[in-house]
């Protein structure tokens, strides 16, 4: 088993191990559309693109009265080719991200509980098949070195829980959420992210 696969399994185990039988624990999956911001390199800027990101989520119910705070733990995966702007850098990226975001319920309206959150993102990214591109969009010269690096970012989120079921400790959650990821260590993946999660 490769070292990268071991890291992935370790992150998954951490996500899934917290008190499986505890009251109110929620597990599920997420699908996101991440609008990747450009990255500045010595040889030029990378392009921007919209990419699907898939994830696993662990959290708890949230409401205005009894559980106003909760932790959102997520493990996400992304693989995408990023076209280059004129005189920029073409590259392909694979990203594994672990996210920890405390969330705070703003109010409760029937089945809706809007919330905000601010947290941290820790990721391992591989940037491969990297080429400089000329003003006409053609690759030229020598292929650039691959980049393998750990990254960290600040995450700000806003979203709402949609509760299906009358029992607050047994309901299914559908969660639309908007996030912004700002790289703060090793300039890496960042941008606006729109997510839908389904938790049981």
């Amino acid at each position: 088993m490769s070292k990268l696969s071991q890291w992935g399994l370790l992150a998954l185990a951490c996500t899934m191990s917290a008190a499986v039988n505890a009251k109110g624990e929620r597990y599920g999956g997420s699908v996101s559309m991440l609008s990747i911001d450009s990255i500045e390199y010595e040889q030029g800027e990378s392009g921007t693109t919209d990419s699907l990101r898939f994830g696993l989520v662990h959290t708890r119910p949230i409401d205005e009265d009894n559980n106003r705070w909760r932790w959102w733990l997520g493990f996400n995966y992304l693989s995408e080719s990023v076209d280059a702007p004129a005189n920029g850098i073409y590259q392909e990226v694979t990203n594994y991200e672990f996210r920890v975001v405390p969330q705070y319920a703003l109010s409760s309206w029937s089945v809706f509980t809007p919330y905000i959150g601010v947290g941290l993102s820790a990721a391992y990214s591989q940037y491969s098949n990297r080429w400089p591109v000329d003003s006409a969009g053609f690759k030229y010269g020598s292929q650039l070195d691959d980049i393998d690096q750990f990254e960290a970012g600040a995450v700000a989120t806003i979203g709402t829980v949609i509760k299906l079921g009358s029992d607050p400790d047994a309901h299914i959650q559908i969660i639309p959420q908007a996030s912004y990821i700002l790289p703060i260590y090793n300039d890496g993946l960042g941008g606006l992210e729109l997510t839908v999660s389904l938790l049981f």
Side-chain angles (χ1 to χ4, degrees), residues 73-97:
L73 306 176
F75 178 70
N76 300 309
Y77 169 78
L78 175 151
S79 181
E80 188 66 72
S81 59
V82 183
D83 290 335
N87 299 311
I89 303 296
Y90 170 87
Q91 60 187 3
E92 297 170 3
V93 58
T94 301
N95 173 265
Y96 303 86
E97 183 213 37

Side-chain angles (χ1 to χ4, degrees), residues 15-89:
T15 303
M16 303 298 285
S17 63
V20 172
N21 295 319
K23 184 178 181 182
E25 300 295 324
R26 292 289 172 270
Y27 299 90
S30 65
V31 178
S32 305
M33 177 63 73
L34 175 63
S35 295
I36 299 174
D37 290 342
S38 65
I39 302 173
E40 183 81 34
Y41 297 108
E42 290 182 5
Q43 302 89 349
E45 291 187 355
S46 67
T48 61
T49 192
D50 293 332
S51 177
L52 285 178
R53 175 183 251 174
F54 301 94
L56 299 171
V57 177
H58 167 58
T59 189
R60 304 194 67 170
I62 190 171
D63 59 61
E64 186 179 12
D65 300 318
N66 301 317
N67 306 298
R68 195 144 199 178
W69 287 96
R70 74 172 178 185
W71 290 95
W72 178 279
L73 306 176
F75 178 70
N76 300 309
Y77 169 78
L78 175 151
S79 181
E80 188 66 72
S81 59
V82 183
D83 290 335
N87 299 311
I89 303 296

Side-chain angles (χ1 to χ4, degrees), residues 90-112:
Y90 170 87
Q91 60 187 3
E92 297 170 3
V93 58
T94 301
N95 173 265
Y96 303 86
E97 183 213 37
F98 182 68
R99 187 177 302 183
V100 180
V101 182
Q103 297 176 337
Y104 179 75
L106 298 174
S107 184
S108 291
W109 304 316
S110 182
V111 298
F112 300 95

